[in-house]
Amino acid sequence: NSESIIYFKHSQSFDPTQKVIVDYEYKSDRNVENEIDIQEILNQNLVSNFSYSKSWQNGSSLIIGYNEFKKLDIPEIDDFNNQSINYKHYSGGITYNMPSKKIFGNGDKWYNDIYLSYNMIYKSNRKDYYKVLSNNQSSIADSSYQTIGGLRNYINISIATKMPGKLEWLNVNPNFNYYDDWVFEHIDSNQNIKNDFQRRSIWNVGIKFNTNLQGIFNINSKNIQALKHNIKPWTNISYQSDFQDNENDIDFFQNTFMGGNPNGYFYCNFGIENDFQIKDKKQKIWDIVSWDIRSGYNWKNKRLSDIASLIVLSGPPNGQEYLSFSMVHTLYDSSGNFLDITKGQSPKLKSL
């Protein structure tokens, strides 16, 4: 058996702001038995990419890209361990990004802390091809899944400021997110692709409160001068209206890269970050323990989420991490009833 192999790799900068990268691989056949290069034997996937990038002095950037993927080593049915294998897909896209900027410039007024960022993403239709093992595992069939492309415009407006007066120790960060989505095709109820322009607008708002408290405990031992404790409590409240269209059976954005029309939510997430540090006689400071705890409350279903915690142990000589472990506790029993802490019922460990 003959085998044709083509590799083409090229990277070129036209100037400090423009660059083109081409990475193309093609093989006409796949015969591992005749391959003597171990790296080629291990290379079971073919991936080809093209990208053009452009940047500007204000931080904005533009990327145009296209990629193809093909899996070469599709197993026989006796070696088919997975229920399905994605063996081929291709897609292209355009991304433009404008980083966060102050809307009203520099100054000492509250509105000088208002920031705006913008992002545009366009993706072409993408078709994924699969080899699927039948339910009785007696045959392999071809299947495919179509993801409809489209255009998403994303705008974020945020404020980074402090509360006035005696509450200036409290940081406040309101934010507003707006999505303007376009599709030029959609999949109808008969699973056929129909040319039809549709547009939707999605928004959500949130506000985050956080602060930083510090405590120093003098020890004055032989090698240690003090123990420092940093406490960073925070809470984040977020809201999104329900964008499900109950009057229309067709969700025009289902099967798109942007996802179907989302449900609404009203969350309050909160947590505490604890950092313990040691200061020695040589004025050197290193981390010894960090303990982060977080949970949340869903206002729609009136339910607290699990308590997640992460503990990291560090130490000298440079404060590097020695051990870390995470835990998840629930505040509800197996029947879904809230545990009564006043009766000695403590949160139950779900995972460690």
Side-chain angles (χ1 to χ4, degrees), residues 291-318:
W291 185 13
D292 296 346
I293 308 171
R294 60 184 60 206
S295 182
Y297 184 74
N298 188 329
W299 291 93
K300 294 190 69 174
N301 60 19
K302 311 297 184 184
R303 187 178 178 89
L304 283 164
S305 62
D306 293 339
I307 301 173
S309 56
L310 173 65
I311 299 176
V312 178
L313 304 180
S314 308
N318 298 312

Side-chain angles (χ1 to χ4, degrees), residues 40 167 174 254 289 334 341:
E40 290 303 314
L167 295 177
Q254 195 69 35
V289 179
S334 58
I341 300 177

